[in-house]
Amino acid sequence: MTPTDAEHALRALDEALALVSRDPRADDAAGGLHRATAWPKAREAAISAGSGIRPRTHRVPLADALGEVLAQSLDALTDLPSFDSSAMDGWAVAGPGPWTIRTGAGVLAGSDPPEPLADGEAVRIATGARIPADTTAVIRTEHSRESGTQLHADRAVLTGQDIRPRGQECRSGDLLLPAGSLVTPAVLGLAAAAGYDELTTRPRPRVEILVLGDELLTEGRPHDGLIRDALSPMLGPWLTRLGAEVTATRRIGDDPAGAKALLAAVTDSDADLVVTTGGTASGPVDHVHPVLREAGAELLVDGVAVRPGHPMLLARLGDRTDGRHLVGLPGNPLAAVSALLTLAEPLLRALAGRRQRPRYTVPVQGDVPGHPYDTRLVPVLLTDEHAVPLRYNGPAMLRGVAAADGLAVVPPHGARDGQDLEILDLPWVSGGCFT
């Protein structure tokens, strides 16, 4: 087969995969299957579910707060800087020059308060050192010259130059950051500078992963109808990058004992979010829906009009304020990724008190086939100018997303070359959460 033939065959396969579905309007008219939730509304439902939760808070050392969200505003505990200091290595001078150089050691950062300067006097000073009283300005070393005991300036000296005045950045009690701000490395530095040893934050949402299925191998090559478990190695790190604390990953079988184990896991878990893989459809060993009914869960999203990942779901396990939810991922790997980005990520960001990611669009390179009714999520590589769709984007494939920077949101009926498409960033490309 020539490369051109191969391209045509892959495109035809891609289009065929996109078109496999029922017409949701026919389902409604026949009184059969429910109408799947539209993709944007599914994401809104996930955000709403996480936003109405009574937040947990804790007080932790600075280093442990990284990646969490401030539960209280960050207010300055002191003036910054807390004293007048030198912005440069050079000379502190008083009055007009030339100046007589003070004998002895200069003024260093962290040293005892220096003696005041007399008019016409200069003393060597280091960056960050306390400014002597009666100083007019600091002259940078490279802008000065010494002549015996005299100091001369090579350019005009302005009053207050290269002096950081006390309170230049903030005064004690000033609001530095509001509650709800993400604790980044820069925030840790600001908090330390402002005098904090601990911060009050919202802890990371706890997540437990339940991998369902009897056909999954944990090592070796696929054989005899068995396949490797691709989701367990992927989901834990992915959810961690989304800001979650993954407390456990467990495997549960498809037999009746597995159904009982799933019910026990769902009802007994103390995780904020239970993530299941597979079992969300209506097959003979798909236990998620029956277990959720038995557990008294409330289905918030039961199927989404998106490809891949149509049978994903979101359920509330407890009451409306205790924050326990379940996201059911389809068993196919790329479908599971679709469900992560559609339901799990916006839910986790809301549970953690984090702002949702800013939305942005990129023009797509080339035509992209669409589904007649559903949104499609297609792995793309981002260049300086375009989103380039990647091949190997079937529901069971990971080859495309492993090379991708994000997933493009393709509307029903597809997109034309150059059309702007929303991009869902992958967490390791966009920076993700600090861990």
Side-chain angles (χ1 to χ4, degrees), residues 356-374:
Q356 298 299 316
R357 290 192 186 279
R359 298 177 61 181
Y360 71 97
T361 62
V362 176
V364 68
Q365 180 175 296
D367 295 345
V368 186
H371 189 278
Y373 312 110
D374 296 350

Side-chain angles (χ1 to χ4, degrees), residues 39-207:
W39 182 79
K41 290 192 175 296
R43 287 173 61 81
E44 291 172 7
I47 295 169
S48 177
S51 300
I53 301 307
R54 183 189 308 112
R56 294 183 291 118
T57 64
H58 61 180
R59 191 161 182 83
V60 292
L62 290 185
D64 294 339
L66 186 64
E68 298 186 349
V69 169
L70 293 177
Q72 297 177 354
S73 62
L74 189 71
D75 301 321
L77 301 180
T78 182
D79 296 345
L80 285 181
S82 56
F83 51 84
D84 294 345
S85 61
S86 177
M88 293 289 171
D89 293 331
W91 300 89
V93 299
W99 302 269
T100 300
I101 298 173
R102 178 187 289 179
T103 59
V107 184
L108 301 177
S111 61
D112 293 334
E115 294 294 324
L117 284 177
D119 191 42
E121 190 177 26
V123 65
R124 189 174 291 278
I125 193 167
T127 301
R130 189 189 300 257
I131 294 292
D134 301 322
T135 295
T136 302
V138 169
I139 303 174
R140 303 182 188 191
T141 300
E142 61 269 26
H143 297 163
S144 64
R145 54 188 171 84
E146 298 177 56
S147 177
T149 61
Q150 295 292 299
L151 178 74
H152 300 267
D154 291 338
R155 58 184 63 187
V157 177
L158 302 177
T159 299
Q161 73 179 29
D162 288 325
I163 294 175
R164 296 186 184 124
R166 176 173 182 161
Q168 181 184 49
E169 185 169 5
C170 66
R171 290 291 185 180
S172 180
D174 282 355
L175 172 66
L176 302 178
L177 288 170
S181 300
L182 179 66
V183 180
T184 66
V187 171
L188 292 181
L190 176 62
Y196 285 84
D197 300 315
E198 297 178 324
L199 293 173
T200 300
T201 59
R202 293 179 62 165
R204 299 169 185 267
R206 300 181 301 262
V207 176

